[in-house]
């Protein structure tokens, strides 16, 4: 889908990345996931938040990659980092020590209480939504797993999530909780000491969602330009609710689009050159 902003055209994917980038502010310390979170975090660094500190799971601190990394082991992260520490130090001191402001994550499935699943899709529930007895032992799809996301979710001061919006991804109840949001009933973080506040925003290619302060169920707080309530309802696997004062997400600026497109072009060129070797 292409949306128009007077003379500027942009895709729904670009809208999502730029909106996610805006969630980061200057001087934040952000633990970045590979994929969409990495794309958004680096757009933020290259635009409005030049002093954001980006940290990747491999131990790279204050990294400033020229191209988007293929994985946490991509040499680009180490070469452009202020320093690189061991993975045990990364988790035990930086993350568990309370030094991370934001964990920025993606996912394969997310449910109404912002629990994330990157482990298995149940064999007997192709759209998710129930916990089949054999969902882990005999899944329809086995996913890569959580990596550091479970620890990031419970130790970062808050969590941002960015993911494309569809019924396959937005299910009422995830098949497997890899990374806790607010638990199966929205109370999974209640009365637990030394645990972060959890997911504070979910940004998709259709809208922005935030947890309801009372129930912790995700509600839509802002629609992207050109998106209707019906679009979101159709793409969500539960009876989604909308904020009383529903906002419209600001459109991308020409600068933001230019930076994003240049970053992706550099990345594609660099990775194509590597494949050719």
């Amino acid at each position: 889908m292409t949306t128009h902003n007077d003379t500027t055209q942009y895709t729904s994917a670009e809208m999502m990345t730029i909106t996610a980038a805006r969630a980061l502010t200057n001087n934040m310390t952000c633990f970045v996931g590979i994929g969409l979170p990495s794309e958004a975090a680096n757009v933020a660094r290259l635009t409005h938040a030049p002093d954001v500190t980006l940290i990747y799971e491999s131990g790279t601190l204050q990294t400033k990659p020229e191209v988007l990394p293929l994985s946490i082991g991509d040499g680009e992260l180490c070469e452009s980092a202020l320093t690189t520490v061991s993975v045990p130090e990364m988790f035990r001191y930086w993350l568990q020590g309370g030094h991370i402001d934001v964990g920025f994550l993606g996912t394969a499935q997310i449910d109404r209480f912002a629990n994330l699943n990157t482990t298995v899709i149940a064999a007997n529930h192709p759209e998710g939504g129930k916990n089949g007895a054999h969902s882990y032992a005999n899944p329809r799809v086995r996913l890569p797993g959580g990596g550091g996301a479970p620890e990031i979710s419970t130790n970062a001061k808050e969590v941002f999530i960015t993911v494309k919006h569809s019924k396959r991804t937005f299910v009422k109840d995830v098949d497997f909780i890899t990374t806790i949001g607010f638990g199966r009933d929205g109370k999974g973080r209640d009365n637990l000491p030394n645990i972060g506040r959890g997911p504070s925003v979910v940004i998709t290619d259709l809208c922005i969602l935030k947890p309801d302060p009372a129930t912790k169920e995700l509600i839509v707080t802002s629609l992207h330009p050109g998106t209707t309530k019906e679009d979101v309802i159709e793409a969500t696997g539960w009876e989604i609710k909308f904020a009383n004062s529903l906002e419209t997400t600001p459109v991308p600026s020409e600068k933001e689009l230019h930076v994003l497109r240049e970053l992706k072009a550099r990345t594609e060129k660099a990775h194509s050159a590597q494949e050719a070797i």
Side-chain angles (χ1 to χ4, degrees), residues 3-20 22 43 224-225 249-258 260-261:
T3 308
H4 297 267
N5 170 23
D6 296 330
T7 60
T8 305
Q9 292 185 339
Y10 55 88
T11 67
S12 58
E14 290 173 330
M15 181 77 201
M16 173 174 59
T17 295
I18 289 169
T19 302
R22 291 170 178 164
V43 169
H224 298 339
T249 312
V251 298
S253 69
E254 290 188 11
K255 178 182 178 180
E256 289 169 326
L257 286 169
H258 175 74
L260 172 58
R261 290 167 181 173

Side-chain angles (χ1 to χ4, degrees), residues 18 21-26 43-50 255-256:
I18 289 169
R22 291 170 178 164
L24 290 175
T25 59
N26 223 16
V43 169
R45 178 179 63 82
L46 294 168
T47 53
H48 67 279
K255 178 182 178 180
E256 289 169 326

Side-chain angles (χ1 to χ4, degrees), residues 154 180-181 187-197:
T154 52
I180 191 169
K187 300 178 181 179
R189 291 177 182 264
D190 291 0
N191 304 315
L192 292 178
N194 303 320
I195 189 170
R197 61 182 284 203

Side-chain angles (χ1 to χ4, degrees), residues 163-228:
V163 63
K164 292 184 178 180
H165 212 130
S166 73
K167 276 191 175 178
R168 294 178 64 86
T169 301
F170 280 72
V171 298
K172 185 177 181 181
D173 298 291
V174 292
D175 294 335
F176 185 96
I177 296 182
T178 309
T179 304
I180 191 169
F182 297 100
R184 293 290 187 189
D185 58 1
K187 300 178 181 179
R189 291 177 182 264
D190 291 0
N191 304 315
L192 292 178
N194 303 320
I195 189 170
R197 61 182 284 203
S200 55
V201 63
V202 178
I203 298 155
T204 81
D205 50 344
L206 297 180
C207 63
I208 300 173
L209 305 96
K210 295 182 179 180
D212 180 270
T215 67
K216 302 303 181 185
E217 183 173 322
L218 291 174
I219 62 171
V220 178
T221 60
S222 181
L223 292 174
H224 298 339
T227 301
T228 66

